[in-house]
Amino acid sequence: MMMRAIRANTKWIMLGLAVAFAAWLVFDWVQSRDTGAAVGLNPVIALVNGQEIRYTRWSSELEFALELARSGSDAPLSDEEVRQVERGAWDGLINNVLIEQEIERLGIRVTDSEVRQAFRVNPPPDLMQHPAFQTDGRFDYEKYQRFFSDPSVDEALLLQIETYYRRALPRSRLTQQLVQVSAVSEARVWSEFRDRNETATVTFLTVDPADAVADDEVQDADSEMRSYYRDHLDDFERPATATVSLVSLSTVPSDRDTAAARALADSVRREIMAGGTSFEDAAAGNSADPATAAAGGELGRFGPGQLVAPLEAAAASLAVGDVSEPVESTQGFHLLKVSERTGDTATVQHILFPIRLTFESEDEIFDRMDELEGIALIDGLQTAADSLGIPISTGVTLTDGFDFVPGAGALGVAVDWALDPTTPFDEVSEFFRNATGYHVAEVTGRTEGGTFGFEEVEGQIRQTLLREARSRRALDLARRAMDDVRAASSLEEAGAALGWPVATAGPFTRLQFVDGLGRDTEAVGAAFGTPVGELADPADAGEVIVILRVDERSEADPELFMAVKEQIRAQLMFQAGQLNSSRWVQGLRETADIVDRRDRLNRQAQDA
C-alpha cells in the first residue's frame, strides 16, 4: 500500500523536483534548444568571454525568478520590484555562466560512482521535504530507498535527479575549495570573543571643534585646495543625471478606505455577537493574518508590555470571552478576544482587517491615469496635470545609481528610463508603479557623467579642509587642557571650568555604536585600553574630540570562552569562506569580457 501511494504521487514528486531544481533543469532544456536555434528566433542576449547566451535561457531564468518573487508576495509586484528581480536574475545568470566556465577550465568532473553515492546518502534537500518521503513530519530514509529501488519508477524522474547531481556536485566541490580557509588561530577566536563580551562604562568630556575653535583660529585653506582636489579626484566623480517633470498618483489608502476597513470589522463583530458565527470561524474566513487565521486567530499568551500599546490596552479591558470593538494599529483594525486570563497574563485572539484601497478607490485612480495619459500624449505632461488639477513637480533631478526619487520613493525604473540616451526629450513615460503609487515622467534634460571641475567643488573642498583644521586645533586644545583636567577633583568640575559638556556611556562592547563616542573610533579603543579609574589622552570620536575616564570594565570570562570557542571559530571560518567566495566571483566579473545586448534587442523589438 505504501509503495502504491508513493507511486501515485510520482507526478507531484517530479513537479517538486522541477521547481526545486529549475535553475539546473531549465538550463539543460534551454541549452539543448539553443544548440540549433535560429538567430532570429532565439537571438544572442549576451556574450560572456565569447560564450553565447541566448534569449531563451535568459527569459526562462527571469520567469522563474519572477514566479518565485510572486509566490512570496501577497500583492502584485510593482514595476520597481520587477526591476529589482530582473537585476538579480541577470547578475545570477552571468555569475552562473562564469562559474560554469571555471568548472570547465579547472577540469572538475564527477564520476558515475560519485553520482550513485550522492544519490544514496545525500538526497536533494527539497526532495527530503516532500510529503511522500516523510514519516511523522521527518524525512524517512527507508521510504526514499524503497521508492527509488522499485523498477517501476519513471526513468524520467531518475534522469532529472541525475542531471541535478551532475551539475550540483562539481559546484559543491568548487565551493568547498573556495570556502576553505586556513585554521583560525586561538588568538583570533579569543579576540572575537573578547570584543563581543567585554564591556566598558565611561565618563567623558566633549570638545566640539565647531564650538571650541573660532574661524579666525583656523589657517586659511585656499593654498591647499587645488592639491587636495588633485589627490582626491575619485571623490569628485559626477554621475549622469536627467531632469524630468513628475506626476504621482498616490495609492496610499485614504480616509474613505480606512472607514471601509472599520465598517467591515464592525460588520463581522455584529455577526459574532449575534451568534451567526464563532470568533474562530470568523478569523479563518476574514483575518488577513495568515499566521493566526487557521488557528482561530490565536496570537498567544502575553504579559504586560508584550503587545503593542493599542492592543494591550484593549485586551486589558476585556472580560474573558468578550469581543472588542475594532482597535486600530499600524497593521489595520483588530477584533480582540481574551480566551483565558491568569494573573497579569492573557491568551489573546485577533481578527485583522488591513486598511487597503477599496475597489472604488482603485477605479478612481485608474480613471485619472487614463485621463492624464490621454492628454499628456498629445499636449504634454504639464498641460495634462494642469487641466486635471493634479500637482506636478518640475525640474526633478534623477541621478544614476540612486533609486530614491524625491516625492516618489524608490523608483529606479524611472531613473533607468530617463537616463537612457535613446529616450527623447519631452517624451512622456508609461506609468511606473511602486509602493507609494503610480508615477509618470517627462524628460526635459540630461547630463552625462564625468568629473566635477575644481570650481564646482571649490566650496566643498574648503569646508572639508576647514573642518579637518578645526579638528586638529580642537585636539591640540584638549591636550593642553589635560593638566587642568587632572588637577580638578572630577571630570564634572573640569567640564564646568572649561565649558565642555560631560556625559556618560555604557556598559558597551567594542562592537557597538556608542552615543557620543561613535563606532570603532579611537575613543572606543581608549575605553578598553585605559586602566579603570584613569584618564585617557584626548581621542578622536569622529565628529568630536573626547577626554574620557574609565569608570568600570567587565573582563571576558575564560570559562565561558572555553565553552563557546569552537562555535565562534566555526562562525569565523564560515564568514571568511563566504568572503572568499564573494571576492572570487567578483574577481571573475571584473576580468570577464561581458557584452550585454538586452537594450539593443529591446529597441529592435520596440521598432518592430
Side-chain angles (χ1 to χ4, degrees):
M1 289 291 291
M2 186 268 292
M3 286 307 301
R4 187 180 303 116
I6 291 181
R7 275 199 293 274
N9 283 325
T10 295
K11 67 176 182 179
W12 302 113
I13 297 172
M14 292 181 68
L15 178 61
L17 276 172
V19 172
F21 314 131
W24 312 111
L25 305 182
V26 167
F27 169 74
D28 283 340
W29 168 69
V30 169
Q31 259 208 332
S32 64
R33 208 168 51 163
D34 280 353
T35 303
V39 173
L41 297 177
N42 187 16
V44 175
I45 197 79
L47 292 169
V48 181
N49 293 326
Q51 178 182 334
E52 294 181 348
I53 309 301
R54 293 195 176 272
Y55 175 78
T56 47
R57 179 175 183 184
W58 162 235
S59 63
S60 298
E61 294 206 16
L62 175 58
E63 187 55 35
F64 175 72
L66 288 170
E67 285 301 321
L68 198 62
R70 292 183 187 115
S71 68
S73 176
D74 295 331
L77 298 179
S78 70
D79 295 322
E80 179 59 20
E81 289 169 331
V82 169
R83 172 180 173 272
Q84 295 293 343
V85 171
E86 181 175 352
R87 178 177 291 179
W90 181 258
D91 286 343
L93 170 63
I94 300 301
N95 290 348
N96 283 336
V97 172
L98 290 170
I99 291 170
E100 290 156 8
Q101 291 175 350
E102 280 299 291
I103 289 173
E104 183 67 25
R105 185 183 68 82
L106 296 170
I108 300 176
R109 300 285 187 271
V110 293
T111 64
D112 292 346
S113 61
E114 287 175 315
V115 172
R116 287 193 295 269
Q117 176 70 4
F119 189 89
R120 284 195 300 269
V121 303
N122 189 22
D126 288 271
L127 201 59
M128 293 175 68
Q129 303 300 320
H130 196 282
F133 303 117
Q134 298 269 321
T135 298
D136 297 331
R138 302 181 65 180
F139 176 69
D140 190 324
Y141 188 74
E142 286 190 17
K143 285 184 178 180
Y144 173 78
Q145 288 284 61
R146 288 180 205 164
F147 178 76
F148 287 107
S149 61
D150 190 314
S152 63
V153 171
D154 192 334
E155 186 176 350
L157 176 59
L158 299 176
L159 289 173
Q160 285 183 336
I161 298 178
E162 180 182 356
T163 298
Y164 162 73
Y165 281 119
R166 290 201 180 277
R167 298 194 59 77
L169 290 177
R171 287 195 174 217
S172 176
R173 189 173 300 169
L174 177 60
T175 301
Q176 288 173 2
Q177 295 176 12
L178 292 174
V179 301
Q180 283 178 351
V181 294
S182 302
V184 178
S185 69
E186 194 87 350
R188 174 70 184 89
V189 178
W190 168 256
S191 176
E192 180 69 18
F193 174 79
R194 181 202 62 191
D195 290 351
R196 295 181 188 182
N197 290 277
E198 283 189 351
T199 64
T201 300
V202 301
T203 301
F204 58 95
L205 291 172
T206 298
V207 187
D208 188 338
D211 297 332
V213 182
D215 289 347
D216 57 8
E217 295 182 67
V218 181
Q219 182 179 355
D220 183 35
D222 287 357
S223 60
E224 305 174 43
M225 288 172 55
R226 287 196 175 273
S227 61
Y228 184 94
Y229 174 76
R230 288 191 297 270
D231 294 340
H232 296 81
L233 274 178
D234 289 346
D235 296 339
F236 302 115
E237 290 184 1
R238 177 178 58 206
T241 61
T243 306
V244 301
S245 296
L246 188 68
V247 170
S248 300
L249 298 177
S250 174
T251 54
V252 175
S254 64
D255 291 343
R256 183 177 67 180
D257 302 313
T258 302
R262 169 68 193 245
L264 177 59
D266 282 328
S267 173
V268 172
R269 182 178 186 274
R270 285 194 298 270
E271 187 177 0
I272 295 171
M273 300 303 291
T277 186
S278 67
F279 191 95
E280 292 71 19
D281 288 344
N286 296 277
S287 182
D289 181 358
T292 64
E298 184 167 331
L299 278 172
R301 193 166 190 84
F302 301 94
Q306 294 181 319
L307 280 170
V308 295
L311 301 189
E312 181 171 7
S317 67
L318 286 174
V320 173
D322 284 353
V323 178
S324 73
E325 297 283 344
V327 180
E328 187 173 2
S329 76
T330 55
Q331 293 179 300
F333 288 98
H334 307 253
L335 295 181
L336 300 179
K337 177 183 175 182
V338 173
S339 55
E340 183 183 345
R341 193 187 299 279
T342 304
D344 61 354
T345 65
T347 300
V348 181
Q349 297 167 263
H350 87 141
I351 305 173
L352 173 62
F353 303 87
I355 301 173
R356 296 173 175 162
L357 286 179
T358 62
F359 291 125
E360 293 79 6
S361 295
E362 286 186 342
D363 286 343
E364 287 182 6
I365 291 173
F366 293 144
D367 287 344
R368 287 179 73 77
M369 287 168 59
D370 286 340
E371 286 185 86
L372 182 69
E373 184 178 46
I375 301 171
L377 290 175
I378 299 172
D379 299 320
L381 193 58
Q382 180 74 60
T383 300
D386 291 344
S387 63
L388 296 176
I390 301 174
I392 182 171
S393 299
T394 58
V396 176
T397 300
L398 307 183
T399 304
D400 187 20
F402 295 90
D403 290 347
F404 183 80
V405 179
L411 199 59
V413 64
V415 177
D416 291 346
W417 172 83
L419 290 172
D420 188 338
T422 64
T423 301
F425 289 170
D426 300 325
E427 178 170 295
V428 177
S429 73
E430 298 177 349
F431 278 92
F432 302 117
R433 181 175 177 269
N434 67 358
T436 66
Y438 293 93
H439 314 272
V440 62
E442 184 179 64
V443 181
T444 56
R446 193 180 293 119
T447 303
E448 293 184 1
T451 302
F452 286 106
F454 174 76
E455 292 74 15
E456 295 176 279
V457 295
E458 184 176 359
Q460 176 186 337
I461 294 174
R462 176 178 287 106
Q463 291 304 314
T464 298
L465 292 175
L466 288 175
R467 185 169 58 251
E468 291 177 355
R470 274 197 172 89
S471 184
R472 291 192 297 270
R473 181 76 177 83
L475 182 59
D476 290 340
L477 191 64
R479 286 170 176 161
R480 290 200 300 271
M482 283 300 294
D483 288 342
D484 294 334
V485 173
R486 290 191 179 96
S489 61
S490 67
L491 273 181
E492 289 75 10
E493 178 185 311
L498 294 166
W500 296 339
V502 180
T504 60
F508 55 85
T509 71
R510 288 176 174 86
L511 304 179
Q512 290 177 289
F513 174 84
V514 185
D515 192 20
L517 303 181
R519 183 195 301 275
D520 196 27
T521 61
E522 186 180 281
V524 172
F528 289 92
T530 305
V532 175
E534 293 190 13
L535 289 173
D537 289 333
D540 188 344
E543 298 295 324
V544 297
I545 305 299
V546 300
I547 302 172
L548 63 81
R549 180 190 66 222
V550 180
D551 298 327
E552 295 179 18
R553 189 158 55 238
S554 70
E555 304 296 333
D557 182 350
E559 291 186 8
L560 178 60
F561 171 69
M562 295 303 294
V564 301
K565 69 175 183 178
E566 294 309 321
Q567 178 183 348
I568 295 175
R569 192 190 310 276
Q571 292 172 354
L572 293 176
M573 292 185 70
F574 176 78
Q575 292 169 5
Q578 293 296 307
L579 183 60
N580 283 351
S581 180
S582 175
R583 286 174 174 171
W584 180 79
V585 173
Q586 184 60 33
L588 289 181
R589 292 196 70 134
E590 289 174 356
T591 58
D593 181 13
I594 301 172
V595 179
D596 183 353
R597 294 183 174 175
R598 287 177 297 168
D599 287 344
R600 190 178 74 178
L601 292 175
N602 288 340
R603 287 196 295 272
Q604 289 174 350
Q606 291 170 0
D607 292 343

